Amino acid sequence: MELISAIVEHYNYWAVIFLMVGGLYIVVAKSNMIKTLIGMALFQTSVYLLYLSPGKVLGGTPPILDKAIKTYSNPLPHVLILTAIVVGVATLAMGLALIVRINEAYGSIEEDEVIDLVDREDAAE
Amino acid sequence: MRLDVILRIAAKLMIPFIMLFAIYVQFHGHYSPGGGFQAGVIIAAAVILYAIVFGISAALRVMPRAAVEFMVPLGVGIYAGTGIVSMLLGRPFLDYDPLLADPVAGQYWGVFIVEVGVLVTVAGAMLAIFYAFALRGRP
Amino acid sequence: MSLIQAISAAAGGAAAVPAGPALGLIEQLPGLQVALPMLGAVLAALLRPGWLAYAVMLVVALLSPVISFAILHEVLAYGPISYEMGGWEPPVGIEYRIDEANAFLLVLVSIMMAMVTIYAPRATASEIPARLHSWYYAMLLICFCGLQGMAITGDAFNIFVFMEISSLAMYALIAMGKDRRALVAAYQYLVIGTIGATFYVLGIGLAFALTGTLNLVDLAVKLDPVQDSRGALAALAFISVGIGLKLALFPLHLWLPNAYAFAPSVATALIASTATKVAVYILVRFVYSVYGVDISETMAYDTAFVLLLASIAMIAPSLVAVFQSNVKRMLAYSSVAQIGYIMVGVALLNEAGLTGGLSHLFNHAIIKGCLFLAVGCVVYSTGITKIDQMAGLGRTMPLTMGAFVVAGLGLIGVPGTAGFVSKWYLIQGAAEVGYWWLVAAIVIASLIAVFYVGRVVELAWFREARGAAASPRAPAPEMLAVTWALALAVLYFGFQTDISAGVPAQAAEVLLNGYTGGAMPVAETQGGVSLGE
Amino acid sequence: MVLLTLIAAITVGIIRLKNLFAVVVLFSAYSFLMASVMLVLDAVDVALTEAAVGAGISTVLLLGALYLTKSEEAPARFSSLVPLLVAGGTAVILVWGTWGLPDFGSATSPVNTGVGSEYIARSYEETHIPNVVTAVLASYRGFDTLGEVTVVFTAAIGVMMLLNRGRGKGETQGEADGVGGGENGEG
Amino acid sequence: MESETLLWMSLGIPAAAAFGIPLAGRWPNIREGVTLVAAGALFLTVMTLLLRVLDGERPEAYGFEVVDGVALALAVEPLGMLFASVASTLWIVNSIYSIGYMRGNNEPRQTPFYICFAVAIAAAIGVAFSANLFTLFLFYEILTVSTYPLVAHKANEDARTNARVYLVLLMATSMVLLLPAIIWTYVAAGSADFIQGGLLAGAGLSAGMLTLLYALYIFGIGKAAVMPVHFWLPAAMVAPTPVSALLHAVAVVKAGVFCVIKVTVYVFGLDLLTETGASQPIAYVAGFTVIMASLIALMHDNLKKRLAFSTVSQLSYVVMAAAVASPLAILGAAMHIAAHAVSKITLFFGAGCIYTAAHLTKVSELDGIGRRMPVTMTAFLVGTLSIIGLPPLIGVWSKWWIGVGAVDSDNLWVVAVLMISSLLNVAYLVPIASRGFFMPPKDAKPGEPIAVAEAPLPCLIAICVTAGLCVVLFFGVNELEALLLPITEGAAPAAAAQAPADLAQGAIQ
């Protein structure tokens, strides 16, 4: 019983962990570069949830001060995650730019195909 | 081509409101959700919408690349420059207290200024990235 | 900005500075250390002609070592410096916290930046299209800014932000290499680097959930009662793996060789000599200062595992380096091996070992910087990157290859060079705890360096030059001068070790005490490990 | 809970689908749902940003990249055992690690009694900004935000370095003059 | 002049020459002038120091601390003084010889040759005067690195391969064995300084540990060429003759055996070794090397190879004597450094002269060479006899003292080894001279007088000087003993009694 209640109470964490693992799996398993980047974004987003979850206070409101309200959720995770989101999109943009260039250079966006070509160039040296 | 008309008119109607919303998000950021970053993204979105509907050349006439490329560093310059001003006034980097006679007001307006910096860089950067991708596809 | 000043002047100007004494120039230095390169990058990106951007970079790069030396001097004289960003006291605001360890790192990074900057213009002109020069210089400054920010800050999340700043700049810099493989290298680094950074954030998130703070000192205090809990250990695990990816800790190093091999010379020299070093510092900071040596003691088993891993990391990439055909990739594999040395020092958990690790950080930066810059000179003059084609280069480019030989000796760890000093400490650290197998691993790894360095040296000096090597373009004097300055530094720090080993020794002491203040004397914390006589 | 389950379903979809266009659309939906979750968690600022960035900018960029490359994923060539192990290992450590974390929604957990509550208590007094997130973002942790802006700056310049073709005289046109962006890649 | 200044000068003069030589690289005469002037100045400096050391002075010079508690520092004691004197004297002779040889054979890249030579001399002096293990190791490695280009000088495939063997073997032994041994010593004793009576005396290592450590040192000092780490020495024979002379007589192998004696006396201490018997196994290995190397030498027809294995054998005399750890054997070992240096350099000069004048490299080709090159071959004979150990040549004294020391410490087998090896010396060295003098040249027509065709004059001068030194040192042995006896002072009563009273107070630390 305790176990079940523990599992339920940590539901957010489970969801986070599932998303995280899913994202990580895409990054490691998928050869398609665009999909890899999407997986990376999923992975990052799930981490955001991990930050936000403990900061939520039941019965609290968004941290915009008002005389009528006493309980607020924790603003600090929000700030951190705002920054993290921006970092995430910056990385995504950079990654996509690289993919576009790789596609122009190698004619493929499949990582294993590109690496084959790279290996061939290495061998030719 | 004809089908575009609706889109074009809708866009023409929407874009001013989007811009207005961006300004609201920016200036009301002290009181409600939002701030420089979100406003910057929204402005960029407006221009991107314009570019999608009216063509990239039209967007480039509104927002030339040179201007965009200027905005990207400018925003960071405004932000970091504020910090330097704090230092010149004898306080640590990014301390807004000394910007005005009243430290609280200094904070209030200091936050406002740096949010403007954020807006400029984010809008510029998003557009710059968009242009980079969009123009890459052209022959 | 003038607007702000106008407003401020209208409101009473500087006279209105609120309570608290105004900070003097010395107190402001930590703030400048990061703000300066950041503003420099902004200016460089705004200025269209490449040479103007370069001028900005030069000014910043020459000022930075001065600032960092001043900071080091302050720290050595008066103890740790705390600089409150935005004027908010920690842990509410972000704090810069500088002790011997990161002051030392600041000096290292800024010196290398200055060297690389002086070296840069002609190498850049030959490798990067002219229209990109301003941006390229801005990226170099941003990379520098990010590394300095990571080194100087005392806030866990701020480390992440600046880690990403430097990493993004590095991806862009690496992708600027002439070979199309540079793009793939940059992409792979981007994916692995981002995963690493996200793991780091994840770890910080767990620690944050446990303590509610991000300030490193505060974190150390609040983690102290709970640091054996699962959450804290998992946090440490994620932070370690995340940074392990960033610093190319074997076997997480796969991104590094190609990235170093195909990036432009200037970028390679800067990244190779500083980026992984700062990452090592972050790891050291977490393991020693935040968690404290006692956590490592409860994880003694893992420490032995790390040592084993590190000794494989010293030897395996060295062996791979012997069989490389591209000289830059050979040096890159050697870098992976040298990170193994540093990790040995870090994982030994005694003062000699940590001193050796930190001092190798410094020495290896200089040595590898010199080697990559020498290779940059070769590329500039002949376009050669393959080792086979370097035959006879010693006769046609004696000065460049002379510097290569000197730095190569440093890499091997011949006494009289900087590399020897750090290896001495590492072996001493291993001998003190009686790990003779580790001593053997260290010396064998050095021996392998004889092979890969010797191979290039023999080709360059004892063969006739053919092809491009026979008629090199005249070298650029400032490039040669910088390369030789570093080569002489390799020799200088082989004897004069006040900075390269003296400061690390002090830093090691500080680190071993941890932020929570050396509750346990160092000798006792070594616990189950038997001490030498 | 429902939202989170929905998001999990979308994740499965992203893993399984081969058509990249569909994947991007799913990703967009994912971001919207994520924004909703954040709203539930009282993170209004974050939700707004996630919606604008995840569903907006990211999607536009991804579509742009697809337009410039290919929209179909090639079948996998390698077994998926290793990735499963990596992902599974991470999961195990996470489950192990989060077990001891404070419960969801507690007002007394260290997170909520730490610095966070301090901001709520004093920010209005010190800045007169009711939106605590804005105050923390731009002032208390203003340096992080400066870093964030620098990241955006860096990414923009990086992307421009990579993708902008050489500029001819027609500056405003931004048209290619035939010189490759960077020297590599065109071969 | 201050002794400390003289010490630094003795390092600085050859180092300065290394900078001066490339500046004068375009004018060969000036370039060689620089070398000769430096050699002369170094000789005077070292001789001044020698006189002071004989007066009982023990100059020291402190550089700076490099690692915790370990500094770059110089200190003179009699053993180092002897080595420095040998090296500086023979540098002059060897330089004169080099000029003749290098020009006579039209060797390429002479400037780098003289630069590396000067660096090697500086390193040898540094080894001689080192005050602690760190400094010793520093100069030891510089010596390895600076002689590598000399060995690879000819830059053909053969030279490159053999130079590789030379570098890798010497580097490997020093890094893998010697460096850990040094750091072990440092960790165990808390210091790395050479101390009269032995650094490890109070460190409390067990006998087994001491044996292991001693073995690390002996095999780590690859330059001492104890089997099985002797390969580099024959491999290095590809180098030009002046380099061989440098390797075999002036600096390299002498540095090796010098380090062995120095470590034995000042790190372990004779008393410690005698008590624990820790060095005894090494003595057997060295004894084996003496005999084995002589046998191999007997089988080689190539003159330089034969001389190389002779050197391997002779070096192990020193190692064996050191490992026996009796004061008189140490005296003999130290003396053998000088004795072997002057004798073997004579032989190498002879080989070089033959190569320069007649382009012969094999023993079997040397029939009748003595009639064509009477001066060279006479000198060669002198060297041969000195190696064998016949009076009135210096070789006899070192063998005598080694033998006496061995008897003193009940190691009678050493005497047997000495006798067998002397017989083998006769077997592989005497035929060279006898072929030269008594066999008719193969291509000569009977009855026709054979024209004298000697090597260039500088070579002849050099070889005569070294042959002369063999004789001079025989008669000057009292001075040698006076210099060397303080080394083992305090270790055993027999040695102390023989030491003149005015030298008795000279202690190292």
Side-chain angles (χ1 to χ4, degrees):
Chain A
M1 221 32 226
E2 225 171 83
L3 186 72
I4 294 175
S5 79
I7 291 176
V8 173
E9 271 163 26
H10 280 75
Y11 184 77
N12 264 36
Y13 290 131
W14 302 130
V16 168
I17 290 169
F18 179 80
L19 297 182
M20 206 175 282
V21 171
L24 198 59
Y25 174 78
I26 296 178
V27 176
V28 186
K30 298 296 173 178
S31 165
N32 186 290
M33 293 181 180
I34 289 187
K35 210 160 174 184
T36 305
L37 286 191
I38 289 178
M40 216 164 72
L42 295 188
F43 181 46
Q44 290 174 318
T45 321
S46 63
V47 176
Y48 306 159
L49 271 191
L50 186 87
Y51 269 77
L52 294 176
S53 299
K56 162 75 179 171
V57 178
L58 284 180
T61 60
I64 296 172
L65 301 177
D66 194 296
K67 291 199 175 86
I69 301 170
K70 286 275 178 293
T71 324
Y72 300 98
S73 282
N74 191 342
L76 182 53
H78 303 178
V79 174
L80 302 182
I81 293 317
L82 270 175
T83 306
I85 289 179
V86 177
V87 171
V89 72
T91 314
L92 182 73
M94 194 78 179
L96 288 173
L98 280 169
I99 292 177
V100 168
R101 286 291 303 277
I102 289 174
N103 185 52
E104 288 172 1
Y106 287 90
S108 171
I109 56 166
E110 298 293 325
E111 201 178 349
D112 41 15
E113 287 176 23
V114 173
I115 287 176
D116 280 352
L117 291 169
V118 169
D119 287 346
R120 216 168 294 161
E121 278 173 88
D122 285 350
E125 255 191 3
Chain B
M1 271 298 140
R2 292 283 86 83
L3 286 174
D4 283 2
V5 173
I6 300 170
L7 205 60
R8 282 165 185 255
I9 291 171
K12 274 207 166 143
L13 283 173
M14 272 174 72
I15 286 168
F17 285 103
I18 296 177
M19 287 290 191
L20 210 60
F21 180 59
I23 291 166
Y24 169 80
V25 167
Q26 167 76 19
F27 287 88
H28 211 254
H30 284 33
Y31 305 97
S32 63
F37 183 80
Q38 294 88 339
V41 172
I42 293 169
I43 288 179
V47 179
I48 292 172
L49 182 64
Y50 188 79
I52 290 173
V53 176
F54 297 99
I56 191 104
S57 309
L60 281 170
R61 275 193 294 279
V62 181
M63 272 295 227
R65 257 166 93 174
V68 168
E69 282 168 17
F70 185 72
M71 280 166 74
V72 176
L74 179 69
V76 183
I78 291 174
Y79 203 139
T82 312
I84 295 291
V85 172
S86 314
M87 289 175 102
L88 292 179
L89 296 175
R91 297 292 301 154
F93 192 64
L94 290 178
D95 187 342
Y96 313 131
D97 286 356
L99 296 179
L100 291 173
D102 174 19
V104 177
Q107 285 292 337
Y108 190 91
W109 288 105
V111 169
F112 182 82
I113 293 166
V114 299
E115 291 278 13
V116 171
V118 176
L119 172 97
V120 172
T121 287
V122 170
M126 294 303 159
L127 280 177
I129 294 171
F130 172 74
Y131 282 160
F133 276 93
L135 293 174
R136 190 72 177 180
R138 291 189 155 197
Chain C
M1 275 174 278
S2 59
L3 180 72
I4 306 165
Q5 275 165 333
I7 296 170
S8 140
V17 171
L23 299 179
L25 183 61
I26 296 289
E27 286 101 327
Q28 292 283 21
L29 287 181
L32 275 181
Q33 185 80 84
V34 175
L36 208 59
M38 191 183 280
L39 279 169
V42 167
L43 267 181
L46 282 174
L47 297 170
R48 218 28 2 211
W51 64 268
L52 263 179
Y54 176 74
V56 171
M57 177 160 98
L58 191 64
V59 170
V60 171
L62 293 181
L63 274 177
S64 286
V66 178
I67 297 176
S68 56
F69 265 112
I71 291 176
L72 178 65
H73 180 259
E74 287 287 301
V75 170
L76 290 178
Y78 308 109
I81 297 177
S82 170
Y83 183 84
E84 296 167 353
M85 270 291 154
W88 303 111
E89 77 287 359
V92 167
I94 291 170
E95 181 195 16
Y96 272 1
R97 198 183 158 78
I98 312 163
D99 58 20
E100 283 83 350
N102 48 356
F104 172 65
L105 200 69
L106 290 175
V107 168
L108 168 65
V109 175
S110 55
I111 287 179
M112 290 313 298
M113 178 67 186
M115 288 295 168
V116 166
T117 303
I118 298 170
Y119 182 93
R122 273 190 241 199
T124 306
S126 72
E127 286 177 298
I128 309 291
R131 70 197 163 79
L132 295 178
H133 281 182
S134 298
W135 286 340
Y136 183 74
Y137 292 134
M139 284 294 104
L140 282 172
L141 275 168
I142 282 288
C143 181
F144 173 56
C145 163
L147 294 171
Q148 294 279 75
M150 278 166 84
I152 202 172
T153 190
D155 187 281
F157 197 80
N158 202 233
I159 290 177
F160 164 72
V161 174
F162 277 84
M163 190 192 283
E164 286 304 90
I165 290 177
S166 65
S167 299
L168 276 170
M170 277 185 240
Y171 309 146
L173 287 172
I174 292 167
M176 285 298 108
K178 274 187 172 177
D179 194 294
R180 65 176 180 168
R181 280 171 285 180
L183 295 168
V184 185
Y187 168 79
Q188 286 176 327
Y189 184 22
L190 180 130
V191 172
I192 293 180
T194 308
I195 295 294
T198 312
F199 269 129
Y200 173 81
V201 179
L202 187 53
I204 297 298
L206 290 175
F208 176 63
L210 277 171
T211 60
T213 186
L214 293 165
N215 184 282
L216 291 179
V217 180
D218 203 25
L219 207 57
V221 173
K222 289 186 176 154
L223 268 177
D224 206 33
V226 292
Q227 72 179 11
D228 292 334
S229 73
R230 289 170 161 196
L233 291 180
L236 183 60
F238 280 118
I239 291 171
S240 308
V241 172
I243 297 182
L245 282 165
K246 281 274 178 196
L247 61 77
L249 182 58
F250 183 88
L252 308 175
H253 67 282
L254 295 170
W255 59 269
L256 186 142
N258 278 345
Y260 284 13
F262 300 118
S265 315
V266 173
T268 308
L270 180 67
I271 295 171
S273 55
T274 55
T276 50
K277 312 294 179 293
V278 177
V280 171
Y281 156 77
I282 301 292
L283 189 61
V284 169
R285 184 56 92 191
F286 270 97
V287 172
Y288 282 92
S289 296
V290 175
Y291 278 83
V293 184
D294 41 338
I295 184 86
S296 320
E297 193 205 358
T298 59
M299 297 166 71
Y301 183 73
D302 306 66
T303 313
F305 175 71
V306 173
L307 278 177
L308 187 66
L309 203 67
S311 31
I312 300 172
M314 285 187 295
I315 294 174
S318 302
L319 285 174
V320 178
V322 176
F323 298 102
Q324 292 304 311
S325 58
N326 179 315
V327 64
K328 282 173 91 176
R329 193 148 34 175
M330 180 195 91
L331 294 177
Y333 273 106
S334 149
S335 283
V336 179
Q338 304 296 318
I339 292 163
Y341 280 99
I342 298 172
M343 287 312 297
V344 165
V346 170
L348 269 172
L349 302 177
N350 59 20
E351 199 169 327
L354 191 53
T355 306
L358 293 178
S359 110
H360 200 58
L361 210 97
F362 184 90
N363 294 334
H364 176 241
I366 291 177
I367 292 167
K368 214 28 98 48
C370 179
L371 286 170
F372 273 118
L373 291 182
V375 171
C377 289
V378 171
V379 173
Y380 173 82
S381 291
T382 63
I384 290 174
T385 55
K386 280 167 65 181
I387 294 176
D388 290 346
Q389 296 172 337
M390 292 175 78
L393 264 185
R395 312 234 178 109
T396 49
M397 300 179 69
L399 283 174
T400 306
M401 290 316 287
F404 190 96
V405 170
V406 171
L409 291 175
L411 198 60
I412 296 169
V414 173
T417 62
F420 178 71
V421 176
S422 35
K423 276 172 196 170
W424 173 286
Y425 278 109
L426 287 176
I427 296 176
Q428 188 191 332
E432 274 174 12
V433 290
Y435 286 164
W436 291 105
W437 58 272
L438 193 59
V439 174
I442 295 171
V443 292
I444 288 171
S446 310
L447 187 62
I448 302 173
V450 177
F451 285 92
Y452 60 74
V453 172
R455 190 169 144 229
V456 176
V457 171
E458 192 192 288
L459 262 174
W461 290 93
F462 298 109
R463 273 184 204 274
E464 295 303 327
R466 263 179 290 120
S471 50
R473 167 151 72 133
E478 79 280 359
M479 289 166 73
L480 262 183
V482 170
T483 312
W484 263 102
L486 286 174
L488 292 177
V490 171
L491 296 176
Y492 176 80
F493 289 116
F495 295 108
Q496 221 321 330
T497 55
D498 284 353
I499 289 177
S500 68
V503 178
Q506 293 187 33
E509 202 179 319
V510 169
L511 286 167
L512 282 164
N513 282 334
Y515 276 147
T516 39
M520 292 180 164
V522 175
E524 284 174 31
T525 57
Q526 285 167 348
V529 181
S530 69
L531 277 168
E533 279 72 17
Chain D
M1 269 195 178
V2 178
L3 282 172
L4 284 170
T5 316
L6 211 55
I7 290 178
I10 289 183
T11 309
V12 174
I14 293 178
I15 296 177
R16 308 271 323 157
L17 278 175
K18 292 277 179 221
N19 185 302
L20 292 175
F21 186 74
V23 167
V24 170
V25 172
L26 274 185
F27 176 70
S28 183
Y30 171 96
S31 296
F32 258 124
L33 284 174
M34 193 52 99
S36 317
V37 173
M38 289 165 174
L39 213 55
V40 173
L41 291 173
D42 292 342
V44 276
D45 282 87
V46 185
L48 183 60
T49 313
E50 172 70 18
V53 166
I57 293 290
S58 296
T59 310
V60 170
L61 290 180
L62 281 165
L63 289 175
L66 279 186
Y67 168 63
L68 292 175
T69 56
K70 301 177 176 60
S71 61
E72 199 65 30
E73 184 190 357
R77 283 199 294 178
F78 302 107
S79 97
S80 50
L81 188 66
V82 177
L84 271 179
L85 281 178
V86 171
T90 315
V92 169
I93 300 180
L94 269 174
V95 171
W96 185 77
T98 50
W99 200 263
L101 286 188
D103 290 343
F104 176 71
S106 158
T108 54
S109 64
V111 176
N112 297 329
T113 52
V115 192
S117 57
E118 187 139 357
Y119 291 130
I120 293 173
R122 59 192 266 191
S123 80
Y124 191 75
E125 212 174 292
E126 288 174 348
T127 63
H128 277 222
I129 299 172
N131 186 349
V132 187
V133 173
T134 302
V136 177
L137 190 78
S139 185
Y140 294 99
R141 295 188 69 87
F143 191 60
D144 262 356
T145 310
L146 176 57
E148 167 199 322
V149 178
T150 312
V151 167
V152 174
F153 163 81
T154 312
I157 296 211
V159 171
M160 289 195 290
M161 277 170 88
L162 280 167
L163 293 186
N164 279 15
R165 295 174 191 276
R167 289 185 302 183
K169 283 173 187 133
E171 185 98 353
T172 47
Q173 287 298 306
E175 293 291 344
D177 57 13
V179 178
E183 290 308 289
N184 49 2
E186 317 301 314
Chain E
M1 216 182 299
E2 290 278 321
S3 296
E4 193 181 337
T5 321
L6 285 175
L7 261 181
W8 288 123
M9 271 172 62
S10 63
L11 270 185
I13 289 169
F19 282 101
I21 290 165
L23 295 180
R26 284 192 201 163
W27 309 279
N29 287 334
I30 300 179
R31 181 184 65 197
E32 267 77 300
V34 171
T35 302
L36 286 176
V37 167
L42 178 66
F43 180 72
L44 289 179
T45 314
V46 172
M47 284 307 132
T48 318
L49 279 169
L50 178 64
L51 290 177
R52 294 188 188 182
V53 170
L54 280 171
D55 282 344
E57 199 187 329
R58 294 289 180 268
E60 287 180 16
Y62 186 86
F64 27 77
E65 192 174 70
V66 176
V67 284
D68 236 6
V70 181
L72 175 75
L74 304 178
V76 183
E77 40 73 53
L79 191 60
M81 198 61 244
L82 172 77
F83 178 39
S85 310
V86 170
S88 62
T89 312
L90 294 184
W91 190 27
I92 301 182
V93 185
N94 203 356
S95 300
I96 296 170
Y97 183 84
S98 301
I99 295 167
Y101 183 93
M102 298 301 277
R103 294 189 180 178
N105 287 311
N106 278 326
E107 292 277 345
R109 294 183 297 286
Q110 295 193 15
T111 307
F113 172 86
Y114 286 109
I115 297 172
C116 291
F117 215 104
V119 175
I121 295 294
I125 300 287
V127 169
F129 289 155
S130 55
N132 55 40
L133 283 166
F134 171 80
T135 315
L136 182 87
F137 188 65
L138 167 70
F139 287 110
Y140 181 92
E141 291 288 55
I142 293 177
L143 190 56
T144 309
V145 171
S146 63
T147 44
Y148 162 73
L150 293 174
V151 176
H153 180 81
K154 286 194 176 146
N156 52 26
E157 192 55 46
D158 195 30
R160 278 197 297 269
T161 317
N162 284 306
R164 224 176 282 154
V165 173
Y166 174 82
L167 181 73
V168 168
L169 197 74
L170 285 186
M171 276 266 182
T173 50
S174 67
M175 272 202 282
V176 176
L177 304 173
L178 182 55
L179 182 60
I182 289 174
I183 294 183
W184 188 359
T185 309
Y186 172 68
V187 171
S191 161
D193 294 340
F194 294 119
I195 293 174
Q196 184 87 34
L199 175 63
L200 287 168
L205 291 176
S206 69
M209 286 291 170
L210 281 174
T211 307
L212 182 62
L213 185 55
Y214 196 72
L216 281 179
Y217 271 114
I218 300 304
F219 294 112
I221 301 169
K223 293 196 173 92
V226 176
M227 281 183 183
V229 290
H230 67 286
F231 291 109
W232 64 271
L233 195 48
M237 281 297 105
V238 294
T241 302
V243 176
S244 302
L246 174 80
L247 295 176
H248 288 255
V250 183
V252 179
V253 297
K254 291 293 160 318
V257 286
F258 165 76
C259 290
V260 169
I261 302 177
K262 192 136 181 173
V263 164
T264 308
V265 175
Y266 296 116
V267 172
F268 286 85
L270 297 183
D271 291 341
L272 184 66
L273 289 177
T274 321
E275 276 166 34
T276 56
S279 59
Q280 202 65 25
I282 296 297
Y284 297 134
V285 175
F288 171 79
T289 307
V290 169
I291 306 288
M292 200 61 206
S294 302
L295 287 173
I296 297 174
L298 202 53
M299 289 185 277
H300 274 291
D301 188 32
N302 182 306
L303 180 55
K304 284 175 81 177
K305 279 260 165 68
R306 186 176 284 196
L307 293 181
F309 276 100
S310 158
T311 302
V312 174
S313 153
Q314 298 287 316
L315 292 176
S316 279
Y317 276 43
V318 180
V319 177
M320 180 172 69
V324 159
S326 108
L328 290 178
I330 295 287
L331 174 68
M335 210 175 276
H336 200 65
I337 290 181
H340 180 249
V342 289
S343 319
K344 193 48 76 59
I345 201 171
T346 310
L347 296 185
F348 270 108
F349 282 171
C353 287
I354 294 168
Y355 177 73
T356 312
H359 293 280
L360 299 177
T361 54
K362 289 188 177 155
V363 177
S364 52
E365 297 168 345
L366 295 182
D367 293 356
I369 195 78
R371 300 190 201 167
R372 268 202 266 172
M373 307 174 67
V375 181
T376 305
M377 286 314 286
T378 309
F380 195 92
L381 185 64
V382 171
T384 303
L385 297 179
S386 176
I387 293 272
I388 295 167
L390 292 179
L393 298 163
I394 175 67
V396 68
W397 285 119
S398 53
K399 282 194 183 178
W400 167 257
W401 285 119
I402 293 174
V404 171
V407 173
D408 207 25
S409 61
D410 297 333
N411 279 301
L412 285 176
W413 62 273
V414 170
V415 181
V417 168
L418 285 176
M419 294 175 73
I420 297 170
S421 118
S422 293
L423 286 177
L424 285 168
N425 288 344
V426 173
Y428 67 76
L429 283 178
V430 170
I432 304 171
S434 59
R435 268 173 184 267
F437 281 117
F438 302 122
M439 303 274 273
K442 278 181 183 153
D443 54 347
K445 289 159 194 154
E448 205 171 299
I450 295 157
V452 171
E454 281 281 4
L457 186 64
C459 295
L460 284 186
I461 296 174
I463 194 170
C464 291
V465 169
T466 55
L469 278 173
C470 293
V471 183
V472 170
L473 282 176
F474 174 80
F475 295 107
V477 73
N478 282 335
E479 276 66 34
L480 265 182
E481 283 168 17
L483 173 69
L484 292 173
L485 277 171
I487 299 172
T488 52
E489 177 176 281
Q498 288 185 2
D502 57 333
L503 292 178
Q505 63 217 16
I508 300 293
Q509 288 289 334

